[in-house]
């Protein structure tokens, strides 16, 4: 689940064209936290998942749902 959230987060962040540092500045999360999240080392609470999604202007479900491309492999 940590890797799923991290990879979905990274995909959404990159779709905005933001670096980890830019996301950190916009959201209040540290760049170190973002890095740990994307690498699957962080285990975010449901509140954090919601806050991350709001900062990305996305639904919290976007961070939780499996990548359909990965499922096809």
């Amino acid at each position: 689940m940590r890797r799923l959230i991290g990879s979905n987060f990274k995909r959404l962040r990159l779709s905005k064209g933001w670096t980890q540092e830019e996301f950190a500045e916009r959201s209040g999360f540290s760049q170190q936290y973002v890095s740990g999240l994307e690498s699957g080392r962080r285990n975010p609470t449901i509140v954090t998942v919601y806050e991350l999604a709001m900062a990305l202007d996305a639904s919290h479900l976007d961070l939780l749902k499996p990548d359909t491309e990965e499922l096809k492999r």
Side-chain angles (χ1 to χ4, degrees), residues 11-26:
R11 178 178 45 78
L12 291 167
R13 177 182 60 77
L14 292 175
S15 75
K16 300 269 186 198
W18 296 342
T19 64
Q20 289 180 351
E21 292 82 4
E22 289 170 328
F23 178 81
E25 289 175 13
R26 294 170 185 265

Side-chain angles (χ1 to χ4, degrees), residues 13-67:
R13 177 182 60 77
L14 292 175
S15 75
K16 300 269 186 198
W18 296 342
T19 64
Q20 289 180 351
E21 292 82 4
E22 289 170 328
F23 178 81
E25 289 175 13
R26 294 170 185 265
S27 68
F29 288 94
S30 71
Q31 185 275 325
Q32 292 82 3
Y33 183 86
V34 172
S35 176
L37 180 73
E38 290 183 359
S39 65
R41 292 188 317 265
R42 293 287 183 163
N43 191 18
T45 66
I46 193 65
V47 172
T48 300
V49 168
Y50 178 81
E51 291 171 345
L52 290 165
M54 292 299 100
L56 289 167
D57 194 29
S59 167
H60 61 287
L61 298 176
D62 293 330
L63 293 173
L64 300 173
K65 64 184 172 187
D67 182 0

